Amino acid sequence: MHGSYKCAKAVCPAILASMLVLAALGTSGVRAEEGRFIIYENFESYYEGVRPPSFQLVEEGAGVIYQTVTDDYAFGGSKSLRLIGTDGLFGSVKIDISNPRADMGLAAHMMAENFTFTQNSEGFDNVNIALGFSYSSSTDYYGSILFSETGNIIFDYGEDQSILMPYEAKRWYLCGLLLNYTTGQIGAFIDGKLMSTAYLSIDLGLLSCIRISSGESGVAGYIDDLSLYTYSAPSSAVSTKVDYPLFLIPAVIVAIGVPSLLLVRYLRSSMGMPRRALRIEEIMKAIGLGAPLLSFGLIITLNNRAFGEQYQMVMISLGSTILIMTVIIVTYMLSKWKTEI
């Protein structure tokens, strides 16, 4: 893979499209120069029949020679990467990356030579060309764009799929994925237009490679001007889970503030009143009455990722509020019992 930082024909629209998706996903404004390219490959520096060294062959499909650079088709220059599968075997390559733990934009021009409405050996629609994020030790995709044998471009986000649009054979499309590392949200765009968004219910820190593949149809798929761009990494000193719903702020303030104010007012009004020492059984009774709420608050707080990364802050807020309110309730009960002589 050779690193090119020139604003080539394909790179400019790829960055522009990534920026449009980033804005649509609701993140703060980020300038392209604040990040860097992890991958940029236009395949022009390789001979036909050669596979770039960093593109590791995973499945040889119709044959090793077919999972290589070709001059049959190209978007900008004269060469692209071609992949062809065969019955029972995908044509597949991967590029290992060092996870930047930051927002990433993956883009490429993609094209399928044909679509024939065929299915693979497992009964699923065949895929002519697919591009997406993955684990280095897995052949599964965790956020991808694929050209289906049904004639549709599909957005696959692990738990489900959605149809983005139909495609024409032998026509290039600028396809991209924008992964918001802070929220776990991923957006799919075609030719610079945001088409769909979803949340990935995986540990994003484990993403460690880019995967490209062609299915069992025997139809050639092509990739050109492949780029992976990483935006500025979030500060390690600040929690990256900043998708804090605004309504939670006043809700938490009211839920904690009102009982706290009432407790303070009660304690002030009871100052000077005669008091007695509490018996151990009364203290245990107060703790026992608060135990269910205390347990519930701890469970919610400690299992804050149970419903996915996007609800983590909601769960933490709810659990912490319940814990604090439990302490307030128990404190009020004990103080009230002390004045009951």
Side-chain angles (χ1 to χ4, degrees):
M1 174 190 334
H2 74 271
S4 171
Y5 289 86
K6 296 180 181 179
C7 194
K9 291 181 180 179
V11 180
C12 288
I15 295 177
L16 176 60
S18 295
M19 295 304 299
L20 290 173
V21 179
L22 189 67
L25 291 178
T27 61
S28 59
V30 180
R31 297 188 304 275
E33 61 267 27
E34 289 181 338
R36 63 186 175 88
F37 281 103
I38 297 178
I39 298 171
Y40 175 66
E41 182 57 80
N42 61 12
F43 307 104
E44 294 300 309
S45 64
Y46 301 99
Y47 292 110
E48 185 181 10
V50 172
R51 188 175 63 258
S54 58
F55 286 57
Q56 303 173 48
L57 185 65
V58 179
E59 293 181 90
E60 63 181 37
V64 175
I65 191 62
Y66 293 107
Q67 325 308 323
T68 55
V69 172
T70 180
D71 59 5
D72 290 348
Y73 299 96
F75 175 77
S78 61
K79 297 173 185 175
S80 65
L81 178 71
R82 174 190 59 202
L83 297 176
I84 307 178
T86 189
D87 189 25
L89 191 62
F90 279 61
S92 178
V93 297
K94 69 170 183 173
I95 310 107
D96 287 331
I97 62 170
S98 177
N99 191 317
R101 298 181 179 272
D103 298 347
M104 292 185 284
L106 175 63
H109 285 94
M110 301 173 66
M111 186 259 278
E113 209 167 29
N114 196 4
F115 52 90
T116 56
F117 301 98
T118 60
Q119 294 183 327
N120 62 22
S121 55
E122 297 180 353
F124 298 108
D125 294 326
N126 262 313
V127 175
N128 290 330
I129 189 70
L131 170 69
F133 297 99
S134 183
Y135 300 160
S136 185
S137 59
S138 171
T139 56
D140 293 330
Y141 283 94
Y142 302 97
S144 66
I145 288 180
L146 58 91
F147 285 45
S148 170
E149 271 287 271
T150 60
N152 292 307
I153 301 177
I154 306 293
F155 175 38
D156 188 330
Y157 43 93
E159 295 182 348
D160 206 349
Q161 296 181 339
S162 60
I163 296 175
L164 300 182
M165 61 177 287
Y167 70 88
E168 298 176 20
K170 298 183 180 179
R171 175 182 169 184
W172 290 99
Y173 296 85
L174 175 60
C175 303
L177 296 164
L178 197 290
L179 177 60
N180 187 322
Y181 192 84
T182 62
T183 65
Q185 192 176 22
I186 187 169
F189 62 88
I190 304 293
D191 292 334
K193 181 180 179 181
L194 178 65
M195 305 295 288
S196 182
T197 62
Y199 284 97
L200 297 181
S201 56
I202 61 170
D203 185 347
L204 300 181
L206 296 179
L207 294 177
S208 54
C209 79
I210 304 305
R211 197 170 295 280
I212 310 169
S213 61
S214 182
E216 301 176 32
S217 63
V219 174
Y222 299 84
I223 291 277
D224 202 359
D225 302 315
L226 174 67
S227 65
L228 176 64
Y229 191 86
T230 176
Y231 298 87
S232 294
S235 171
S236 59
V238 180
S239 172
T240 60
K241 304 304 176 187
V242 296
D243 53 326
Y244 203 103
L246 291 180
F247 77 88
L248 278 182
I249 298 174
V252 170
I253 291 174
V254 171
I256 295 176
V258 172
S260 298
L261 180 61
L262 292 175
L263 177 63
V264 170
R265 291 184 63 182
Y266 171 77
L267 292 176
R268 291 183 63 182
S269 67
S270 65
M271 289 178 63
M273 295 177 63
R275 298 175 182 275
R276 64 181 177 85
L278 291 172
R279 298 190 300 272
I280 186 64
E281 55 265 27
E282 291 176 319
I283 297 174
M284 296 304 296
K285 180 180 178 182
I287 295 175
L289 290 173
L293 273 179
L294 187 67
S295 300
F296 189 53
L298 282 172
I299 290 171
I300 292 176
T301 305
L302 296 175
N303 294 277
N304 55 75
R305 296 187 180 183
F307 294 98
E309 297 283 342
Q310 65 269 32
Y311 297 113
Q312 184 178 11
M313 291 308 299
V314 177
M315 297 281 283
I316 292 174
S317 300
L318 179 59
S320 300
T321 301
I322 292 174
L323 289 173
I324 294 172
M325 288 183 66
T326 302
V327 172
I328 292 173
I329 291 170
V330 172
T331 302
Y332 169 75
M333 291 170 58
L334 293 174
S335 177
K336 186 172 176 58
W337 290 349
K338 275 188 175 184
T339 60
E340 292 178 352
I341 299 176

